[in-house]
Amino acid sequence: MNVPHYFIELTPKLTDTDRVLITDELQFQTQHYPDNLPSGVIHADLFRDNVLFCEDKFSGILDFYSAYRGVLLLDIAITANDWCCDDGIINA
């Protein structure tokens, strides 16, 4: 399992329970990661506060700091999570 550097740095600060939970999840995600999803350059931070509108029309995107080549579905997931939920409830 490829453990992210930030997890190694945080490990001493975690409880045993949290360490086991995160380690198990990282292992699960590593074993079940779909390698066949379409990828390309993504914004990776498409929250509402990074999108500009002029009146009711889209006019721009801010904050490309997190942009990288990754799974395209991540941009959709981040956007849906932020734009389609109110207090953790899906807003159809």
Side-chain angles (χ1 to χ4, degrees):
M1 175 177 66
N2 188 8
V3 179
H5 68 88
Y6 53 83
F7 180 64
I8 295 168
E9 294 170 14
L10 289 174
T11 299
K13 299 177 182 177
L14 298 172
T15 65
D16 290 340
T17 303
D18 288 342
R19 190 176 309 108
V20 168
L21 176 68
I22 293 170
T23 301
D24 286 350
E25 184 61 26
L26 286 171
Q27 186 173 9
F28 176 86
Q29 293 296 329
T30 299
Q31 291 173 349
H32 296 90
Y33 189 82
D35 294 326
N36 59 346
L37 293 175
S39 63
V41 177
I42 63 172
H43 185 277
D45 195 23
L46 280 175
F47 292 94
R48 284 180 244 204
D49 61 346
N50 286 330
V51 178
L52 300 174
F53 290 89
C54 184
E55 295 177 11
D56 288 338
K57 296 185 191 240
F58 167 79
S59 64
I61 297 176
L62 304 172
D63 191 6
F64 286 85
Y65 179 79
S66 299
Y68 72 104
R69 182 171 173 78
V71 175
L72 298 175
L73 187 58
L74 180 61
D75 268 346
I76 295 170
I78 290 170
T79 304
N81 185 54
D82 185 49
W83 293 58
C84 301
C85 291
D86 294 315
D87 298 319
I89 298 169
I90 294 175
N91 180 347

